[in-house]
Structure formats: C-alpha cells, structure tokens
Amino acid sequence: MSQPVGLPVLAESDLVRQVARRLTDAIVQGRLPPGAKVAEAAVARELGISRAPVREAARLLESQGLLMASPRRGFFVRELSARDVDELYALRLCVERHAAVEAARRLTPETRAALRRQLDLMRDLARRDDPATIVEADYQFHRLICEAAGNARLLRLFDGLASELRIVIGLIGRLYDDPDEIARTHEPVLAAIEAGHPERIVAHVDHHIGVARREVVRLLESLTPQGPPPRNETSETP
C-alpha cells in the first residue's frame, strides 16, 4: 500500500482500535482489496502515528479473520474463496433464522422504530449513491435484529461471522444496478417480523440471505482468475 488510500489522521487515545477501524473501513470500501499488503510504515505515515499501533491493529484484525500474516512479508488482506463465503453464509442463515424469530417474539415499539429508522436510512443513502455506506447500513440492520433477539451469545456469533464477511460485503453493492434495491429487499423481512409468523419469517430470511449468498458466490467465482486450459496430451509438439 505505497499510495495513500484516504485514511484520516488520528489524534485521540486508544489508537489501536481506531487504526483497526480505519483499516476495516478501507477493506469494506474496497480501498484495500483482497490480497493487498498492509504496509505498516505507509499506514503509520498516512495516519500521523508510529508503527507500533498499526502493527497491533493488524494483529487484532488477523485474529478477526480480516488479515493474514506472512512471515517476513507482513500483513495482507485475506482472500476468501467462493467456498469460504458459501460456508459463511450457511452459518449466517442458521443464526439469522433464529434471531429473526426471537426478535419478533420480543418485538417492542422501540425496537420496531429502530428497525424502521434503519430501513429509512438505507433508502436515504441510496439516493446519495454511496454504495459502501449502504452496505454498512445493511449490516447494521441485520445486527439490530440480532440485538432484538436478546441473546448475547448469538450476537457475538453474528459479529464473528460478520467480521469475515466484511471482506466481501462491498461486493453486495455490485449486485444491484439500482442502489435502492438493497433497501427494498429488507422490507419483506421486517414486515414478517412485525407480523410475528415464524414460518413466514424463516421463509423471508431464507430468501433474502439466500439470494445474496448465491449472487455473491457467483460474483466471486466470476472474479477468480481461470488457469490456463489443460494441455492436450495427444497434440504433437511442433
């Protein structure tokens, strides 16, 4: 990462977590794509800090599955295969089916209002045409559902899965030509939670996440470089 990627200078305390957040944002927004090297000196220079908190932040993100360390080479943004993402989405489906049903059972006027506000925010961001911010709002919508389920362990599990999915979450914005479509796909899920019918909730969660799962995996497969065609062993060498 020899060229600046738009990281704002830090001046407050708790530098390690702030650096980790800045690097996560750069990954989600595609400014640090999968496979990119996180050059400690360049990041430290851009943020106006020493290399020590950058190194600690990189180790933190390594523990969360966002970065990978290579001996004597440094840290690199993790590259997820289509199979990795498919497995992550399979686990996410299990978590969010249960979370949505529990959220409906525990739904309060305050929780409903918070989910509606988040949906309105997604619509507003769509009008601003800011894909990276839209997909972050998408993530927050799903996290609110997990919070509403009232299960701290489930929320931690969701956060763990989401950390890895942040590597590819920016790809979701590439699935829709119309940015407002992202907000619209969440409306049936929220309506089902508000109605409180478990079977409908599960069906809508399965459809909503299942569509994203299939399309993100398909997109990743299309972005994976294809190797050279197999050599025809029967052909004659000129």
Side-chain angles (χ1 to χ4, degrees), residues 230-237:
R231 181 178 179 182
N232 186 348
E233 298 296 339
T234 62
S235 62
E236 296 183 357
T237 303

Side-chain angles (χ1 to χ4, degrees), residues 24 28 64 66 80 88 92 96 136 139-140 142-143 155-169:
T24 297
V28 172
Q64 296 176 357
L66 287 176
L80 291 177
L88 285 169
R92 183 183 173 188
E96 294 205 44
E136 180 65 19
Y139 159 75
Q140 291 297 335
H142 288 273
R143 194 178 193 280
L155 183 59
R156 287 198 296 270
L157 181 57
F158 173 83
D159 283 340
L161 293 173
S163 290
E164 291 191 84
L165 282 171
R166 281 175 176 271
I167 298 174
V168 295
I169 197 170

Side-chain angles (χ1 to χ4, degrees), residues 135-190:
V135 294
E136 180 65 19
D138 180 339
Y139 159 75
Q140 291 297 335
F141 177 88
H142 288 273
R143 194 178 193 280
L144 281 172
I145 292 175
C146 291
E147 287 180 355
N151 186 323
R153 289 179 174 83
L154 182 146
L155 183 59
R156 287 198 296 270
L157 181 57
F158 173 83
D159 283 340
L161 293 173
S163 290
E164 291 191 84
L165 282 171
R166 281 175 176 271
I167 298 174
V168 295
I169 197 170
L171 294 173
I172 296 173
R174 298 177 59 175
L175 301 181
Y176 304 100
D177 294 328
D178 178 7
D180 194 52
E181 182 66 15
I182 296 180
R184 286 197 295 269
T185 61
H186 291 76
E187 292 174 357
V189 175
L190 181 52

